[in-house]
Amino acid sequence: YRRLVDSIYPRAVTDGLLHSNMQKLTFYAISHPEKLERIGEYLVMRMVRDLSRQRPVQVKIAVEAMDQLLQACHSSPSLPQFSENHLRMVQRLLESNNAKMEQLATDSFVTFSNIEESSPSYHRQYDFFIDKFSQMCHANPQAAYGEDFRLARCAGLRGLRGVVWKSVTDDLHPNIWEQQHMDKIVPSILFNLQEPDDNGKVFSSSHIPKFDNTFADTNQSHRGDDEATPKVLSDRCLRELMGKASFGSLRAVIEPVLKHMDLHKRWSPPPSFAIHVFRAIIYSIQSQNSYFVIQELINHLDSMCSADASTRIGIATVLSSIVSIAGTSIGPLLLSIFNSLLKHLRTSVDFERSGKCSDQPAEKMYQEALINAMGDFANALPDYQKVEMMMFTVGNIPNLDERKSKQGDEFLQHVLVKTLLKVATKYRTAYLATVFTDSFLDTLLLLALVRDPQVRLATQQIFHTLLDRHDNAANLVHLGYELDVSDVQLTVEKCSRADQMFMRKHIGEITYMLWRAVAVADEKDLNTHIDAILCTMSLLCIEVGFDESLVELFRLSLALQQLALDSKLNFNDAKRNAIHNMVAKYMNLSAQLIANPSLCQQVQHVVACRAQRGIPGLNLLLNEKVSPMNDDPLSSTAINGSAPNGAPKTLTEDDHNLLFSVEDVAESLKASGKDASRLFVPFSINMNGRKNDGSGDQWQNDEQNFDSTDGRESPDGYKTVGIDDVSVDMSVDWTPPISRKQSRRNTIFSIVNPPKLNAATVDDLKAYANATYDPIEEDRKEKELTGSILSEIRNTDFEERVNTNESLNERSDLSKSIARLLVRNGETTRVRDIGRPTKPKNVFEIELPSFAY
């Protein structure tokens, strides 16, 4: 075998390996596997001797011969022993501190790493190779490499990639996932990945090609273009390293990445390098393990809570960029991750309000980054989990009771409502009852009336994004007076049955909120708030526009008009005109949507009369070029020239031609087949309940307008009656409104006094049916009834009143009513069975004679 080894070396130095003799040596090694170890030892001995004598040609021949024997004898039983000689040869070449010899050794090691061994080597260690290749990855021009330092870095990266490949192919091989090895491999890869370009530009991922996860490096000739620079090669090495990492070894890889970002200050905005690294990590690991990377980032954010705001902004930005990639794999720690982000948000708000924050603009940027991260986080979740996230965010909003609110609660409300708005924009509403649960809707209704005007505006925007299912909100945000609504390009569909049931239950609360929102609208930014409320009303008209909700919205519009006319309220003229314009715009939109010609004519008449009157701010027919508001040409502050001296600046109750008449609107709705009786019911607001404490307008609800039996308001205008006055059908298609007093009597069996009808003849009945509704007379009768009830309560003994009430109306007792119905049913059955043969008695019902006992 020694003569065969000696024969592969040429006599002339310029000649290369003698291939004919190499084939003889290969055939001998395959035929005599027991000699393979000795052949390797002899080749290493000659290579070491030639290396010490500085004979690079002979060294290259020895390395090439070892590589060919390694590939030819990959199934030989003596391969482990031969591999040890091969690794010893590579080690001696790496110890030579010669750049060309190191590259030759790297190529030989990569060849070795691509060979699958049939039997593992238990005592093999790669510590030296990891150290040396990591050192080569940090080569610089000042070292022995000179201008070839980039080639040395590429050689080191390919060597590390070979070590990873060789170690992960067999479980019995040495474990390179230990922390001591990853602390050398990962920083070496990242150091080359962040290398600036030749022209000195900072990191840019646009020049890095996208690789797959395959490890195809058997042919060394293909690495000319894709691996020409250390940056490209390091990107591929990082992706392959993460692709081969199991779940148990992810922590050992992620921790050096985070440490490298901290030491090299790669979190500073814009963190393009950190985003590229973590996106590569997320794309490379298994999808079900993606949540672990997100959790590690959040844990690192916990540990950096006292760091500079720029560092925390970078971490939050990286989180925002990768949560959308993780997709639904973050399910196992869903609430934990979202709760951690909310905790950091609250901590940042408290830190900013504490007075210890030296850079408040940066802290606000950090809060915006966290909000964006939570929005992108929710966007990656399915719809049902987005609803959970919104409920979870609402649960973290501090106490909405102004009497118990702390100093920093208002600012925290503002931040959390922005977070809720960000999450809501990612949700697509299917049914209103799915997202507007009782607790969620109640919280939104309270948020729409808090002291902070920005919170109120953001709450209206939340209503917009959750109500808008046909992308109409963009056309309704700055709605003007449209002569033809079809120009707005709205999408209108029929309201579903589920949404009708939801609105029957909650329309009263929503309109009450809108009424108060208009009353407390901030006069500093009046147009924005008024436009937001108008958009909410328009979306309700479009999305849930069935008869009952439309009537309630018309009733709200007329109540808002009355609000603007009330001289007792401390409103300026601009706000009163803005309310009048909002009512006119909504009446115009809804009248055209329901295709009511008479109502459309009324709206056009009122708007035209206002334009002729020349009151500043009430002319909705102005041209866009004349309007001072470019973004809202029909804004309520549009000025139609200057008002003459002594001319009115707003409308009064005497301007009947310039106001919408309740009777005219009701007549138009009644002509189209709608029940307009609710329009004459006064809006349940106590006008005298206003108090100004310097912090905003406060409004109190008039409890007298609620149903006295169960403490709730009936939004549909239908009073509940006794059981004998209706046909008992338990499949009632109506959900009772929510009780504000948490009453348990919310069924159809609650008793109120039915309206009394004294009609002896048909003419009397016709007269009663055709009589006009007089709200003043009805209020007078109601007051008389209330007075009689109060006098009876004050002058009559309690026991006597109870006995009288029971004797007059036993139907108030549910059990007695059911018993009466059962008795009535039994009598009907007996009458029906008269004349029919009696049924034979049961054997147990036959009475035996006494002597039988």
Side-chain angles (χ1 to χ4, degrees):
Y1 69 91
R2 291 199 175 197
R3 286 194 299 270
L4 291 173
V5 171
D6 294 337
S7 64
I8 65 175
Y9 289 91
R11 293 182 179 180
V13 180
T14 57
D15 297 337
L17 179 65
L18 298 177
H19 294 283
S20 60
N21 293 335
M22 186 64 209
Q23 293 177 359
K24 296 178 183 179
L25 178 61
T26 304
F27 179 76
Y28 179 82
I30 295 175
S31 303
H32 301 81
E34 70 278 0
K35 300 293 185 179
L36 184 61
E37 181 182 0
R38 297 184 181 183
I39 294 174
E41 291 176 356
Y42 184 63
L43 278 171
V44 171
M45 184 190 67
R46 288 206 56 168
M47 190 276 302
V48 172
R49 185 180 62 189
D50 294 335
L51 183 63
S52 61
R53 296 177 181 178
Q54 296 185 356
R55 296 175 178 175
V57 178
Q58 283 80 356
V59 172
K60 186 176 181 180
I61 290 174
V63 173
E64 187 176 354
M66 289 287 285
D67 291 344
Q68 291 189 18
L69 287 174
L70 195 63
Q71 293 176 356
C73 304
H74 61 86
S75 60
S76 175
S78 302
L79 183 62
Q81 292 78 13
F82 182 77
S83 300
E84 295 299 327
N85 294 323
H86 180 271
L87 291 176
R88 189 154 53 90
M89 177 194 70
V90 174
Q91 181 175 350
R92 293 302 295 269
L93 289 174
L94 292 174
E95 290 174 349
S96 65
N97 292 328
N98 187 313
K100 293 185 178 179
M101 293 297 104
E102 288 178 352
Q103 293 181 21
L104 184 64
T106 302
D107 292 339
S108 179
F109 184 82
V110 172
T111 303
F112 164 73
S113 64
N114 282 276
I115 295 177
E116 296 183 4
E117 302 180 56
S118 58
S119 56
S121 179
Y122 300 100
H123 59 280
R124 186 181 300 163
Q125 297 294 330
Y126 296 106
D127 295 358
F128 169 79
F129 298 101
I130 294 175
D131 295 342
K132 183 61 180 179
F133 289 139
S134 300
Q135 179 185 349
M136 293 170 62
C137 290
H138 292 80
N140 54 69
Q142 289 74 24
Y145 302 100
E147 295 297 331
D148 296 333
F149 72 97
R150 285 192 174 87
L151 296 177
R153 289 185 180 183
C154 289
L157 289 170
R158 288 189 286 109
L160 289 177
R161 192 170 64 172
V163 172
V164 173
W165 174 257
K166 196 64 179 175
S167 302
V168 299
T169 52
D170 197 330
D171 295 337
L172 298 178
H173 279 151
N175 185 13
I176 66 162
W177 302 108
E178 297 177 358
Q179 196 67 44
Q180 55 179 349
H181 298 319
M182 287 293 108
D183 288 340
K184 301 173 184 177
I185 296 176
V186 175
S188 301
I189 296 175
L190 297 179
F191 176 78
N192 287 275
L193 187 59
Q194 70 184 14
E195 179 192 24
D197 298 334
D198 295 335
N199 52 9
K201 291 183 179 180
V202 295
F203 174 83
S204 177
S205 60
S206 59
H207 301 292
I208 299 179
K210 299 296 184 293
F211 298 106
D212 54 11
N213 290 332
T214 59
F215 186 86
D217 200 13
T218 56
N219 186 6
Q220 301 296 328
S221 62
H222 77 283
R223 67 170 197 266
D225 297 331
D226 291 345
E227 302 177 4
T229 61
K231 179 183 292 187
V232 176
L233 185 57
S234 60
D235 183 78
R236 182 166 186 171
C237 291
L238 177 64
R239 295 173 187 271
E240 291 180 356
L241 177 66
M242 299 308 304
K244 300 181 186 306
S246 61
F247 178 78
S249 57
L250 277 178
R251 188 183 301 275
V253 186
I254 298 298
E255 288 183 356
V257 174
L258 297 174
K259 189 182 299 183
H260 180 88
M261 299 296 174
D262 295 339
L263 296 177
H264 291 262
K265 298 181 180 179
R266 289 293 175 175
W267 299 117
S268 300
S272 55
F273 175 73
I275 291 175
H276 174 79
V277 169
F278 279 95
R279 285 173 67 93
I281 291 174
I282 290 290
Y283 276 125
S284 302
I285 63 177
Q286 298 179 2
S287 60
Q288 63 268 24
N289 299 334
S290 300
Y291 75 91
F292 181 80
V293 180
I294 297 175
Q295 187 64 45
E296 285 295 308
L297 268 175
I298 292 179
N299 294 338
H300 189 65
L301 186 60
D302 292 339
S303 63
M304 302 293 288
C305 59
S306 59
D308 294 337
S310 59
T311 302
R312 290 179 279 127
I313 290 172
I315 300 176
T317 305
V318 173
L319 271 172
S320 177
S321 64
I322 66 174
V323 290
S324 59
I325 306 173
T328 57
S329 64
I330 51 184
L333 295 176
L334 178 66
L335 292 178
S336 175
I337 292 175
F338 202 81
N339 188 30
S340 300
L341 294 175
L342 281 176
K343 183 185 69 174
H344 285 292
L345 189 60
R346 295 177 69 102
T347 304
S348 175
V349 171
D350 294 340
F351 176 65
E352 182 184 355
R353 305 291 290 182
S354 64
K356 301 179 182 179
C357 180
S358 59
D359 191 358
Q360 291 190 358
E363 200 67 28
K364 289 185 180 295
M365 290 178 59
Y366 171 59
Q367 295 166 9
E368 291 291 337
L370 283 176
I371 292 174
N372 292 332
M374 282 185 276
D376 295 332
F377 176 80
N379 191 30
L381 300 175
D383 284 347
Y384 71 93
Q385 288 183 333
K386 291 176 185 177
V387 175
E388 292 180 4
M389 291 302 98
M390 287 190 285
M391 305 303 172
F392 194 77
T393 306
V394 165
N396 283 270
I397 296 178
N399 197 340
L400 296 175
D401 189 355
E402 296 182 0
R403 294 171 297 180
K404 300 179 181 179
S405 61
K406 299 179 182 179
Q407 183 178 2
D409 284 350
E410 290 185 7
F411 186 74
L412 185 59
Q413 284 178 6
H414 175 65
V415 175
L416 290 179
V417 168
K418 289 178 62 178
T419 305
L420 182 61
L421 176 61
K422 188 72 175 181
V423 177
T425 55
K426 310 297 182 181
Y427 179 73
R428 189 74 174 181
T429 305
Y431 294 100
L432 298 181
T434 304
V435 59
F436 288 111
T437 60
D438 290 343
S439 59
F440 183 60
L441 181 60
D442 291 343
T443 305
L444 287 182
L445 296 177
L446 291 175
L447 287 173
L449 303 173
V450 295
R451 185 181 305 172
D452 190 354
Q454 296 300 322
V455 174
R456 299 200 301 266
L457 181 61
T459 306
Q460 293 294 335
Q461 294 172 353
I462 293 173
F463 275 109
H464 298 169
T465 187
L466 293 179
L467 288 173
D468 185 24
R469 290 173 289 191
H470 301 94
D471 299 328
N472 293 321
N475 299 323
L476 298 172
V477 174
H478 298 292
L479 180 66
Y481 178 75
E482 300 291 341
L483 296 177
D484 189 0
V485 176
S486 61
D487 296 337
V488 188
Q489 297 179 355
L490 300 174
T491 303
V492 183
E493 293 184 2
K494 185 179 180 181
C495 178
S496 64
R497 186 181 182 88
D499 289 343
Q500 292 182 19
M501 297 176 65
F502 173 81
M503 291 307 296
R504 287 193 182 100
K505 183 177 181 181
H506 296 290
I507 186 63
E509 302 170 6
I510 296 175
T511 53
Y512 170 67
M513 177 272 296
L514 293 173
W515 192 95
R516 288 191 57 186
V518 173
V520 299
D522 188 18
E523 296 181 355
K524 296 180 181 179
D525 194 11
L526 182 62
N527 294 329
T528 305
H529 288 266
I530 292 296
D531 288 342
I533 297 171
L534 176 60
C535 182
T536 305
M537 295 173 61
S538 303
L539 286 172
L540 287 171
C541 176
I542 294 172
E543 296 293 339
V544 286
F546 66 106
D547 291 352
E548 296 175 22
S549 64
L550 288 174
V551 172
E552 285 296 319
L553 290 172
F554 279 119
R555 176 169 170 257
L556 171 64
S557 301
L558 296 172
L560 291 175
Q561 177 179 263
Q562 191 64 32
L563 175 70
L565 295 174
D566 193 349
S567 59
K568 299 179 182 178
L569 303 179
N570 189 19
F571 292 164
N572 57 24
D573 294 336
K575 184 171 182 179
R576 296 180 187 275
N577 293 339
I579 298 175
H580 283 302
N581 287 338
M582 181 188 69
V583 173
K585 293 175 186 178
Y586 174 75
M587 297 286 284
N588 174 64
L589 174 71
S590 57
Q592 295 189 46
L593 287 178
I594 64 177
N596 193 319
S598 60
L599 187 57
C600 293
Q601 186 176 1
Q602 292 179 33
V603 175
Q604 295 173 4
H605 175 72
V606 171
V607 172
C609 291
R610 291 180 181 179
Q612 294 176 0
R613 181 70 175 272
I615 298 178
L618 286 178
N619 190 354
L620 294 179
L621 302 179
L622 285 175
N623 194 359
E624 182 177 352
K625 296 181 181 179
V626 181
S627 174
M629 301 297 292
N630 293 328
D631 58 343
D632 187 8
L634 299 178
S635 173
S636 57
T637 59
I639 304 299
N640 184 15
S642 60
N645 295 331
K649 298 181 180 180
T650 185
L651 298 179
T652 62
E653 294 184 358
D654 298 332
D655 300 324
H656 300 290
N657 293 332
L658 308 182
L659 299 175
F660 295 102
S661 172
V662 180
E663 291 78 8
D664 294 340
V665 174
E667 190 68 26
S668 300
L669 293 178
K670 189 181 298 183
S672 62
K674 296 179 175 57
D675 183 10
S677 59
R678 284 285 293 170
L679 293 179
F680 298 97
V681 179
F683 210 73
S684 58
I685 303 294
N686 184 9
M687 296 304 212
N688 298 323
R690 179 178 180 269
K691 61 178 181 178
N692 192 354
D693 57 358
S695 60
D697 295 332
Q698 304 294 327
W699 300 86
Q700 296 178 351
N701 192 7
D702 187 4
E703 296 293 341
Q704 295 179 358
N705 291 308
F706 289 101
D707 189 350
S708 59
T709 56
D710 58 357
R712 70 173 186 273
E713 183 186 11
S714 179
D716 300 325
Y718 302 109
K719 292 182 177 295
T720 52
V721 296
I723 190 171
D724 286 341
D725 299 320
V726 297
S727 175
V728 181
D729 183 7
M730 301 312 294
S731 60
V732 179
D733 185 16
W734 179 73
T735 303
I738 186 170
S739 174
R740 285 186 172 85
K741 294 184 178 180
Q742 302 299 325
S743 174
R744 302 177 71 179
R745 293 184 295 167
N746 55 354
T747 65
I748 62 172
F749 297 105
S750 58
I751 307 301
V752 295
N753 293 326
K756 296 182 179 180
L757 177 60
N758 298 322
T761 63
V762 177
D763 294 335
D764 295 339
L765 183 61
K766 289 181 180 180
Y768 180 84
N770 296 326
T772 58
Y773 182 85
D774 189 0
I776 299 177
E777 182 66 19
E778 293 295 330
D779 290 342
R780 186 187 61 79
K781 293 180 180 179
E782 186 69 25
K783 290 180 181 179
E784 291 180 357
L785 179 61
T786 303
S788 62
I789 293 175
L790 289 176
S791 62
E792 181 182 356
I793 292 175
R794 291 168 182 167
N795 302 326
T796 308
D797 185 65
F798 177 75
E799 295 294 337
E800 183 180 353
R801 292 203 312 273
V802 171
N803 296 330
T804 304
N805 188 35
E806 287 184 354
S807 61
L808 292 177
N809 189 7
E810 292 184 355
R811 294 170 294 184
S812 59
D813 192 348
L814 178 62
S815 59
K816 293 182 179 180
S817 300
I818 295 177
R820 186 173 61 257
L821 288 175
L822 293 177
V823 170
R824 181 190 302 174
N825 187 31
E827 293 176 354
T828 304
T829 304
R830 286 195 300 272
V831 171
R832 187 179 62 246
D833 292 339
I834 293 176
R836 296 184 181 181
T838 57
K839 297 181 180 179
K841 291 185 177 181
N842 195 331
V843 66
F844 299 102
E845 298 177 357
I846 299 176
E847 296 181 1
L848 297 178
S850 58
F851 62 85
Y853 298 97

